[in-house]
Amino acid sequence: MSTPQNMFARVFVVDPAGRVLFIRDHSGYWNVPGGRVEAGEEPAAAAVRELREETGLTVVELVRVHHEVYDFDGVAWAGYFYWARSVAGEPVLAEPDKAVELAYRDPTDVAFHPATSTAMASLVSSLVPGFEPTITVGRGAAIDGEHPASTEPADGRSTAGLQAFERHLDAFRGYQASPWGRLRYEQVATNLARHLPPHPLRVVDLGGGNGLDALQLAERGHHVTIVDPSPASLAEATALAREHGCAERIRTRQGGIEDLAGAAEDGPFDVVLAHNVLQYIPDRAAAFAAMEAVLAPGGMVSVLVPNPASDALIAAVRRLELSEAIRLLDAPTRHTLTYDLEVEALSPSDLAAGMVAAGLGQPVRYGVRAVCDLIADDEAKHDPVVYAELLRLENLLADRHPYPETARFAHLVSTKPEATRLD
Ligand SMILES: C[S@@+](CC[C@H](N)C(=O)[O-])C[C@H]1O[C@@H](n2cnc3c(N)ncnc32)[C@H](O)[C@@H]1O
C-alpha cells in the first residue's frame, strides 16, 4: 500500500434513541456523512463542512474518535472519524446527485463498505451505548451547565487537565473553523489593532494553544512567544507558523502561566496576551503578578474571558430555557463544552480590579460577539454575506455601551504605567 496522500473525514451523529445518521451512496453501501479533505484543509474543518454540505446540519461540538489508514484498491487513505456531539438543524438529503438516502438507522441494519466495515462496527459499538445519554440534537445552542459537574481539575498543568486540552484539540479546531470561532479571532484582532503601534513588538501569548492569535500578530511583523502546557497545541502552532512563512517570528515554550521563568528569557515583553485561559487558572492574582513582571513599562496586557452574564441571556433568548437562565444567574461555575470541564464563572469587573491590584492600568473593556450567540439560526452564519454583515455589526458594538456588558466574551486591554521617574 502506498503512503497516504489522500485524507477523508467522516462524522457520526447519534440521535437520543441511539440511532446513527447514515447516508447511502449509489454503490448501495451505507456510511456516515463525510468526504475528502481538501488541500490545505484541517480534517476537523472538512468534517464540519462535509456534514453541512451533505445533510444541512451544523456542528456545534466535534470530538475526534478514530484515525486509521485504509487501503482502497491499493491506494492509501488516511481516515479521520469524528463524533458531532451536538449539532444544529434537521438532517436533509442535501446532495441527491451524490447519495440516494439519508436517515437515522439502527446500526445493526446497515451494510458498510468492506474496507471500513470492521472499524465502523467497532466505532458504532463504542459510540452508541457509551455516548448516547449526553447527546444533544437540537437547535445547536451551547449547553453549558446541562451536564453533571466534572470532578477533573481544570488547571492545564495537572495531568487530567492537560489530557482534556489535548484530547479535545480537534473539537477546539472545529470551533475555531466555525463562523462564531472566526468572529472571535477577527474581533479580538480588530480591538488589539486599535492599541498596537505599527513597529514590531515582543509579544508573549499565555495559554496561546495552537497559535491563531499569535499567527495574526506574527503576520503583522511582531515576534511572539507562545507559552502553553499542551505539547500537541504547541506542535500545531509551530506547523501553522511554518505554513504561513512566520516560523522565525513564533517560538513556543511548554509551560503554564504560573512558571513564566523560561519565557522571561525572551522578554521583557511589550504585549502579554491571556486569551480564553484565565478560567483554567486557579490563582488569578498570581497570574496577573506574573504578567506584570514580564511586561515592559508602558506595555499592554490583553485578557479575554467568557462573560458569565451572557450565559443566562443565551439560555433564555436562544434556547427558551427559562429555568436554566434563572439558575445561571447565580451559578458560580460553568461547564465548558469543548473541554468538558467545570470552570469558575469569572466576573469581568473582578478581573479588571485584579489587574489594577497587580499594578496594571484600569483596562478598557470590549465586548466580543454581542449578538452572534443570540441568533439561533447557525446555518445563516455560514452565508458569507450574513457573516460579513454580522462582523461589521459586532465590531460596531464592541465598545458601544451597553453591549459589552452582555457580549459572549469580555476583552480587557490594560497598559502598565511607565516607570515613575525620580528626578
Ligand atoms: C481555550 S484554549 C485557548 C487557546 C488560545 N489562547 C486561543 O484563544 O485560541 C485554552 C488553552 O489554555 C491552555 N492552558 C490550560 N491551563 C494552562 C495554564 N495553567 N497555563 C497556561 N496555559 C494553560 C490549554 O492548554 C489551552 O491551549
Side-chain angles (χ1 to χ4, degrees):
M1 189 170 41
S2 56
T3 312
Q5 304 282 329
N6 305 301
M7 293 193 283
F8 67 87
R10 296 210 165 265
V11 190
F12 284 85
V13 181
V14 187
D15 77 4
R19 295 173 312 165
V20 177
L21 184 64
F22 287 109
I23 192 159
R24 186 163 62 89
D25 65 18
H26 293 280
S27 71
Y29 290 116
W30 289 89
N31 213 328
V32 289
R36 189 186 193 115
V37 178
E38 308 285 5
E41 195 180 36
E42 283 291 325
V48 171
R49 175 182 55 72
E50 286 285 348
L51 188 71
R52 182 162 37 80
E53 287 173 0
E54 290 187 352
T55 71
L57 289 175
T58 300
V59 172
V60 176
E61 190 184 5
L62 195 67
V63 179
R64 188 162 110 188
V65 290
H66 188 64
H67 170 225
E68 194 175 331
V69 177
Y70 298 95
D71 181 2
F72 291 111
D73 301 321
V75 179
W77 282 78
Y80 294 82
F81 288 91
Y82 296 86
W83 171 39
R85 189 155 77 157
S86 174
V87 294
E90 289 302 322
V92 289
L93 184 61
E95 295 181 326
D97 51 325
K98 294 195 188 150
V100 289
E101 203 175 343
L102 176 81
Y104 281 110
R105 307 234 353 196
D106 182 329
T108 52
D109 269 344
V110 298
F112 301 121
H113 190 286
T116 54
S117 60
T118 311
M120 288 293 283
S122 99
L123 276 170
V124 165
S125 65
S126 73
L127 272 173
V128 174
F131 293 127
E132 185 266 338
T134 58
I135 280 164
T136 307
V137 179
R139 282 177 291 165
I143 48 170
D144 289 353
E146 277 187 4
H147 301 280
S150 162
T151 51
E152 278 191 52
D155 179 355
R157 294 190 316 161
S158 69
T159 308
L162 179 56
Q163 277 171 4
F165 293 110
E166 299 250 304
R167 195 169 60 240
H168 297 299
L169 189 52
D170 275 320
F172 188 58
R173 275 191 215 114
Y175 151 76
Q176 289 177 316
S178 69
W180 38 100
R182 283 166 21 228
L183 273 180
R184 167 261 179 263
Y185 289 95
E186 293 204 44
Q187 275 203 268
V188 167
T190 301
N191 298 342
L192 282 179
R194 294 184 178 195
H195 297 263
L196 297 177
H199 57 265
L201 301 169
R202 293 154 303 172
V203 182
V204 63
D205 187 359
L206 304 176
N210 59 356
L212 291 202
D213 285 317
L215 190 62
Q216 297 220 25
L217 292 170
E219 283 183 323
R220 288 182 196 156
H222 304 300
H223 294 263
V224 190
T225 299
I226 304 175
V227 177
D228 199 288
S230 158
S233 302
L234 294 178
E236 191 165 307
T238 304
L240 266 180
R242 220 177 284 128
E243 261 171 46
H244 288 252
C246 297
E248 78 289 358
R249 287 195 297 284
I250 293 190
R251 36 170 95 171
T252 61
R253 293 199 181 265
Q254 193 189 346
I257 293 188
E258 304 81 350
D259 37 41
L260 282 181
E265 283 171 20
D266 302 341
F269 295 99
D270 306 303
V271 180
V272 175
L273 309 181
H275 289 170
N276 219 349
V277 62
L278 287 184
Q279 64 271 35
Y280 306 111
I281 310 288
D283 188 348
R284 253 94 49 193
F288 286 138
M291 293 183 206
E292 197 273 345
V294 296
L295 194 63
M300 197 185 96
V301 172
S302 168
V303 163
L304 184 78
V305 285
N307 177 15
S310 71
D311 292 313
L313 261 187
I314 293 168
V317 175
R318 180 187 170 123
R319 309 201 299 272
L320 201 65
E321 291 174 0
L322 304 183
S323 311
E324 175 63 1
I326 291 168
R327 187 191 73 77
L328 283 166
L329 288 177
D330 295 313
T333 61
R334 296 289 187 267
H335 195 90
T336 74
L337 266 184
T338 308
Y339 298 120
D340 196 17
L341 290 170
E342 197 73 5
V343 296
E344 241 179 283
L346 301 181
S347 138
S349 49
D350 287 354
L351 286 176
M355 293 166 88
V356 172
L360 300 164
Q362 180 67 38
V364 176
R365 176 172 176 178
Y366 297 100
V368 171
R369 297 205 322 237
V371 294
C372 172
D373 299 67
L374 301 176
I375 302 171
D377 184 0
D378 278 343
E379 187 52 33
K381 299 170 198 167
H382 287 274
D383 177 333
V385 176
V386 173
Y387 179 87
E389 202 60 352
L390 185 55
L391 177 60
R392 202 158 77 88
L393 174 63
E394 294 285 15
N395 279 334
L396 288 170
L397 299 179
D399 65 345
R400 186 178 290 218
H401 180 77
Y403 301 101
E405 293 291 322
T406 53
R408 181 67 195 111
F409 289 96
H411 186 192
L412 307 174
V413 179
S414 166
T415 305
K416 176 173 170 171
E418 297 283 353
T420 313
R421 287 177 59 170
L422 298 172
D423 294 317

